[in-house]
Amino acid sequence: MRRIILIISLAFSISNANAQYNDMTIPDTLSGTTFNLTIKDTLKQLRPGNQTITGSINSNFWGPTIFINKGDVVHMNVRNNLNDSTTIHWHGMHLPAVMDGGPHQIIPPGTLWQPFWTVANNAGTFWYHPHLHEMTQEHITKGIGGFLIVRDPVESALALPRKYGVDDIPVVLTSRRYTAANQFVTQNSAYGDYMLTNGTPNAQVSLPKQYVRLRILNAEIERGYDLGFSDNRTFYIIGNDGGLLNVPVAVTRVKLMVGERVEIMVNLGSDPVGSSLDLKAYNAGQPMGFPGAEPGTGGQFGSLLNNINFTVLHINVSAATSGAITSVPATLANNVYWTSADATINRTLSITGNAPNPFYFDNTPFALNTINKVVNLNAIEKWTITNNNVVGHAFHIHDIEFKIVARNGSTSGVGAYESGWKDVLYIPVNQNVSFVAKFDDYADPLHPFMYHCHFANHEDEGLMGQFVVNNPLGINSNSNQIIIDNSFSLYPNPVQNNLFVKFTNTDNAVTPEVYYITIYDIVGRTVMMLPQPEISNGINISSLSKGIYYVKLMDKLTKSVSTQKFIKVN
Ligand code: C2O
Ligand code: CU
């Protein structure tokens, strides 16, 4: 009986694959320095029959592409309109831990979270996604996430395809398994059965007859992709996780594991208008341990897409655009990378445990209240991660971009395609990988950054750890912070839209530094969260309805907390 069902479902998938393609969604764009992102439950018609309950940001599956410029201060207004708590993590961004959106930055339902930071990353393709511990798989499966694209002068000076949705195309790869009622399976399932490319089933796109740039992100739960084109043509890797490579790398295949990004250029200039080709996953014949090479078509680790080659994007070639890019630049960037010799601290991490038991780092399950590593501010460290179990993993670390310096102890083991700044690396079974990174700019002895396997099911199960960056010279060389301890008042009070904080027992003119402001209502529900807020211009509370609220303020130096009440009128 089970076999018959499998044959029927396989036949369905084959006929589905031949069915008409759907035009791939190109996510909307947001640009500027202030971004309003609303996380919500939505519905999407993904298959015949019932709509699927999805989650999204400003959309109905996967959110807007956010364009930001290196050097700008960007402000995020993240409103959680789900019925659940969640978090939003800015994957790959170098920023203060308290802005990072990891598992500690829980945004309760109905709350506005307002992180901000100065964009320090190089031009590249980053992304944002939920990161609530033990809920990450569910929230990512729903479709909550989006691209963050950083621009900078180095990238802007190059002749690269840069017309979003025309010759510069975001491509987010994922797959889903459905219940009989067309709902996403969010648990006990590592792999989807049906591709969604930018949230579109059986996706196709028209691309002009010239060099085009694809910014490809693997946003799967666990599956890896070995990507290439259906005629095996050569294409060029111009960037990976942290931005541009120094020189383009010519390949016919590239492996892309969960969380990784690759920017490629491919030449369609010799393809007749009206012809087509496919971007495919060449996932047949991968070794055991490759995520998605497990046998079988069903169950927790099987899938209809395991061990086969399949199309991820059908490409129809259309007329060239004016101003088409007709070549790949010979050189791209001048990154100067760390080497092993730069590192003054060496750390090791071992991935332990065997299925069906959970995987851990160094046999230690993740615990939200345990800091696993303390890194000194400005330290250059070499981390070596060893995979001692049965499946490959995608290791990711927050805060920094790193340079992979060795695979299995050898520099020559590092692929040219992964030669740029990275924040995710793949570790096959029984191998080890070393990276070097500098932990600069942001120290916070209280609030940690995470490192983890980016397979959402693995991180949810506890293959995650956390580190703080500690400034050995003290929190801040400026010692003017003041213990707040009930020493602030709010004005005007009652207030309409802009609430000011006044410190009442400061002994000099320096404003104390605020670590965190939380505003909650009369029944104790959090309504606003402001990490390290800039309060001199007041707090914009225009989104609050009228009523009584409390401001809970945490002092940066002492982390002591005090609370004051205010009344919001109209
Ligand atoms: Cu993309 Cu810790 O995350
Ligand atoms: Cu893993």
Side-chain angles (χ1 to χ4, degrees):
M1 186 58 192
R2 186 177 149 79
R3 169 137 307 161
I4 292 170
I5 291 171
L6 280 180
I7 289 167
I8 292 170
S9 64
L10 272 175
F12 177 74
S13 76
I14 289 161
S15 68
N16 222 22
N18 292 334
Q20 219 172 350
Y21 293 105
N22 304 301
D23 289 336
M24 180 172 76
T25 300
I26 301 291
D28 286 346
T29 63
L30 294 175
S31 52
T33 54
T34 299
F35 298 92
N36 297 322
L37 304 173
T38 300
I39 316 166
K40 56 184 183 180
D41 283 313
T42 50
L43 292 166
K44 186 164 184 178
Q45 191 79 52
L46 289 167
R47 349 178 66 207
N50 291 341
Q51 296 191 79
T52 304
I53 299 168
T54 55
S56 186
I57 294 176
N58 304 4
S59 172
N60 67 353
F61 186 93
W62 197 249
T65 298
I66 298 174
F67 284 91
I68 55 180
N69 298 311
K70 185 173 182 175
D72 281 356
V73 179
V74 295
H75 289 258
M76 299 294 177
N77 298 317
V78 180
R79 179 171 291 286
N80 178 10
N81 282 351
L82 300 172
N83 295 318
D84 277 337
S85 293
T86 191
T87 83
I88 293 293
H89 166 57
W90 319 104
H91 180 125
M93 289 288 104
H94 180 50
L95 37 59
V98 78
M99 311 289 180
D100 175 67
H104 296 271
Q105 288 295 310
I106 298 169
I107 317 169
T111 300
L112 179 64
W113 176 56
Q114 300 187 290
F116 65 96
W117 67 94
T118 304
V119 181
N121 290 74
N122 293 336
T125 304
F126 302 88
W127 62 304
Y128 56 95
H129 64 78
H131 212 312
L132 184 63
H133 186 47
E134 296 178 329
M135 293 298 285
T136 300
Q137 177 172 7
E138 182 172 328
H139 290 176
I140 287 185
T141 300
K142 289 178 83 163
I144 304 168
F147 280 105
L148 260 176
I149 294 180
V150 177
R151 305 272 204 216
D152 75 7
V154 172
E155 191 268 350
S156 297
L158 293 167
L160 294 173
R162 203 173 287 112
K163 293 190 188 100
Y164 180 82
V166 177
D167 63 2
D168 183 355
I169 313 291
V171 180
V172 50
L173 302 179
T174 187
S175 60
R176 293 291 182 269
R177 172 166 289 169
Y178 297 88
T179 67
N182 280 356
Q183 302 310 309
F184 291 145
V185 174
T186 60
Q187 282 176 347
N188 300 320
S189 171
Y191 304 113
D193 293 319
Y194 300 97
M195 270 312 290
L196 289 176
T197 305
N198 292 359
T200 307
N202 299 319
Q204 68 174 357
V205 67
S206 282
L207 295 178
K209 182 183 160 56
Q210 64 204 50
Y211 267 102
V212 295
R213 176 187 197 169
L214 304 179
R215 301 172 184 262
I216 311 173
L217 160 67
N218 179 338
E220 283 278 11
I221 301 304
E222 180 162 345
R223 186 186 310 286
Y225 289 81
D226 194 2
L227 295 169
F229 290 91
S230 46
D231 59 0
N232 293 318
R233 74 181 58 196
T234 297
F235 56 97
Y236 299 88
I237 298 179
I238 60 168
N240 57 23
D241 303 344
L244 293 170
L245 306 187
N246 284 346
V247 292
V249 175
V251 297
T252 57
R253 294 280 186 274
V254 64
K255 286 198 174 68
L256 195 68
M257 299 298 163
V258 179
E260 288 186 303
R261 291 85 69 202
V262 70
E263 291 187 26
I264 67 168
M265 279 175 72
V266 59
N267 188 10
L268 305 180
S270 306
D271 295 72
V273 170
S275 66
S276 55
L277 72 159
D278 291 332
L279 176 65
K280 295 187 69 165
Y282 287 93
N283 282 16
Q286 296 292 343
M288 209 31 212
F290 180 93
E294 291 91 334
T297 52
Q300 187 167 1
F301 301 109
S303 151
L304 296 180
L305 297 177
N306 280 14
N307 305 303
I308 60 168
N309 299 335
F310 55 93
T311 297
V312 302
L313 181 59
H314 183 68
I315 297 167
N316 301 306
V317 179
S318 57
T321 64
S322 65
I325 298 295
T326 55
S327 63
V328 181
T331 61
L332 298 163
N334 256 318
N335 299 308
V336 179
Y337 299 114
W338 307 118
T339 67
S340 293
D342 295 313
T344 54
I345 302 278
N346 284 278
R347 293 181 197 266
T348 58
L349 272 179
S350 174
I351 301 174
T352 53
N354 280 309
N357 300 317
F359 306 130
Y360 297 135
F361 287 113
D362 297 329
N363 293 313
T364 310
F366 175 72
L368 213 46
N369 294 320
T370 302
I371 301 299
N372 304 90
K373 313 271 177 211
V374 177
V375 172
N376 277 339
L377 183 65
N378 293 323
I380 300 174
E381 298 203 353
K382 178 176 176 179
W383 291 35
T384 298
I385 304 111
T386 302
N387 180 1
N388 289 315
N389 65 38
V390 292
V391 66
H393 299 274
F395 178 89
H396 170 55
I397 184 167
H398 293 203
D399 181 25
I400 47 84
E401 294 288 327
F402 55 70
K403 171 66 176 169
I404 305 175
V405 295
R407 284 191 175 272
N408 303 311
S410 146
T411 50
S412 60
V414 183
Y417 71 94
E418 58 181 2
S419 61
W421 293 114
K422 294 276 292 169
D423 55 53
V424 181
L425 56 76
Y426 179 54
I427 322 178
V429 174
N430 290 323
Q431 296 197 17
N432 66 69
V433 190
S434 304
F435 70 76
V436 176
K438 183 175 185 186
F439 295 80
D440 50 2
D441 301 319
Y442 300 115
D444 184 339
L446 183 72
H447 205 294
F449 291 108
M450 321 306 291
Y451 54 87
H452 56 94
C453 176
H454 216 292
F455 301 173
N457 48 345
H458 291 184
E459 71 179 88
D460 279 346
E461 281 171 2
L463 184 46
M464 181 152 69
Q466 45 194 349
F467 67 99
V468 293
V469 178
N470 189 40
N471 185 349
L473 304 175
I475 294 176
N476 197 322
S477 45
N478 156 12
S479 57
N480 285 319
Q481 287 131 336
I482 285 141
I483 298 172
I484 285 167
D485 196 20
N486 282 318
S487 55
F488 76 98
S489 62
L490 299 170
Y491 71 97
N493 193 0
V495 56
Q496 285 199 347
N497 290 322
N498 208 18
L499 182 69
F500 288 85
V501 175
K502 181 166 174 240
F503 295 95
T504 45
N505 75 345
T506 59
D507 54 7
N508 56 37
V510 177
T511 305
E513 285 193 61
V514 177
Y515 185 71
Y516 217 103
I517 282 180
T518 311
I519 302 179
Y520 56 95
D521 68 12
I522 190 94
V523 296
R525 254 182 311 145
T526 301
V527 291
M528 287 176 67
M529 297 160 59
L530 299 93
Q532 297 182 2
E534 301 159 306
I535 52 171
S536 52
N537 295 324
I539 303 168
N540 184 338
I541 53 161
S542 56
S543 68
L544 300 182
S545 49
K546 70 178 187 187
I548 296 170
Y549 295 91
Y550 296 87
V551 170
K552 187 171 81 181
L553 190 149
M554 184 183 277
D555 170 50
K556 185 173 178 190
L557 182 64
T558 62
K559 301 297 187 297
S560 63
V561 161
S562 61
T563 300
Q564 295 291 342
K565 180 166 96 176
F566 70 90
I567 297 166
K568 164 96 159 84
V569 287
N570 59 53

